[in-house]
Amino acid sequence: MALSAVASTSGTQEGLKFTPGPILLLGPPGVGKGTQAQELMAAWSIPQISTGDLLRSNVSRGTALGKQAKEVMDRGELVSDDLVNQMVAERLKEPDTATGYILDGFPRTLKQADWLDQHLSAIPGSLPVVAVSIEVSYNQLLRRITGRRICSLCKTSYNIYLQPPKVDEVCDLDGTPLTRRSDDTEEVFEERMRAYTSLTAPVVEHYRALGLFAEVNGEQPVNAVTAEVMRAVLHLRS
Ligand code: AMP
């Protein structure tokens, strides 16, 4: 089914409003979780909660949390479970999460997954999480990460190899010079992949074992990946 068809059938099911509930997007750095989260957010009017974005916002605002997190993030290691769980707990209190939300980059350890499972089971009426793992090969991830550039003004994302701007290193939309995330170097990518393999891959297995889980091929055009992710969520919620 084409994306437009999935999107047009996804807002309602037999006349009832579709309630997405908590959705986890799992997968290594650069797999496209952020891009897919934006698509789901637009289709289902639910917020994207990216722990990486929340942490980066704390770093740029110079908060106490940001000061603790910055060096760890620049090394490609994981920020402590307690700090991240607390940050997510605060975000989940916001009213925009009532019908669902997309967690992007969380949980990243089994401790975070256990915390989330317990936290949600204590909220009356909360739906169980559905987890979608996006799969992409190592070499493709490396190109996506080292080629990633972001407009510091409008946040549009480019890739100098796969989706370059019309003029080198300048945003097509507003002419602002593009920036590179400080952790998007090859060296830090390797460290992030090590952290993923040892700490986050077991989280994927945790949700696979719970059953509300699907795997999606991330090496397709963005629209095709989105259609697969949406189909998987609709199926798991049916
Ligand atoms: P991301 O934008 O998801 O790639 O995250 C960037 C960095 O933020 C990671 O390399 C970690 O240092 C930190 N981070 C993001 N989410 C988490 C998390 N759930 N647990 C621990 N650290 C995190």
Side-chain angles (χ1 to χ4, degrees), residues 149-158 163-178:
R149 300 289 185 277
I150 297 162
C151 171
S152 54
L153 188 66
C154 70
K155 309 292 176 211
T156 300
S157 193
Y158 297 86
Q163 197 191 352
K166 293 193 185 96
V167 178
D168 268 2
E169 304 291 341
V170 172
C171 179
D172 290 349
L173 304 179
D174 51 36
T176 305
L178 301 181

Side-chain angles (χ1 to χ4, degrees), residues 12-199:
T12 58
Q13 281 186 332
E14 294 163 7
L16 297 171
K17 181 106 179 67
F18 173 57
T19 303
I23 299 168
L24 306 186
L25 290 182
L26 303 174
V31 84
K33 300 186 294 292
T35 305
Q36 293 305 324
Q38 293 280 323
E39 301 288 336
L40 299 189
M41 187 168 102
W44 288 332
S45 304
I46 52 174
Q48 168 196 19
I49 302 178
S50 153
T51 43
D53 284 350
L54 290 174
L55 288 165
R56 278 185 290 279
S57 156
N58 275 279
V59 171
S60 62
R61 285 181 288 120
T63 65
L65 169 60
K67 284 181 185 138
Q68 285 186 68
K70 182 171 179 3
E71 281 186 19
V72 179
M73 292 172 75
D74 281 346
R75 287 198 300 269
E77 294 169 10
L78 293 188
V79 175
S80 88
D81 291 328
D82 290 345
L83 278 186
V84 177
N85 293 348
Q86 184 57 34
M87 192 176 73
V88 171
E90 288 303 316
R91 181 62 185 86
L92 292 183
K93 287 181 189 160
E94 300 291 326
D96 63 345
T97 60
T99 59
Y101 45 87
I102 306 138
L103 281 170
D104 157 10
F106 182 91
R108 245 175 164 106
T109 65
L110 280 176
K111 251 182 103 179
Q112 292 177 13
D114 288 341
W115 174 86
L116 181 68
D117 295 347
Q118 282 184 22
H119 185 78
L120 295 184
S121 66
I123 299 175
S126 173
L127 289 173
V129 297
V130 297
V132 179
S133 173
I134 307 175
E135 310 282 316
V136 169
S137 70
Y138 184 93
N139 285 344
Q140 176 76 358
L141 290 175
L142 183 61
R143 277 165 72 82
R144 290 189 186 185
I145 287 282
T146 56
R148 177 158 60 186
R149 300 289 185 277
I150 297 162
C151 171
S152 54
L153 188 66
C154 70
K155 309 292 176 211
T156 300
S157 193
Y158 297 86
N159 187 291
I160 57 170
Y161 308 118
L162 308 165
Q163 197 191 352
K166 293 193 185 96
V167 178
D168 268 2
E169 304 291 341
V170 172
C171 179
D172 290 349
L173 304 179
D174 51 36
T176 305
L178 301 181
T179 56
R180 190 175 185 188
R181 268 172 52 174
S182 56
D183 58 353
D184 273 351
T185 61
E186 186 163 350
E187 208 180 30
V188 180
F189 169 73
E190 281 170 6
E191 184 51 45
R192 288 161 74 195
M193 282 304 287
R194 269 193 288 278
Y196 180 81
T197 307
S198 62
L199 299 169

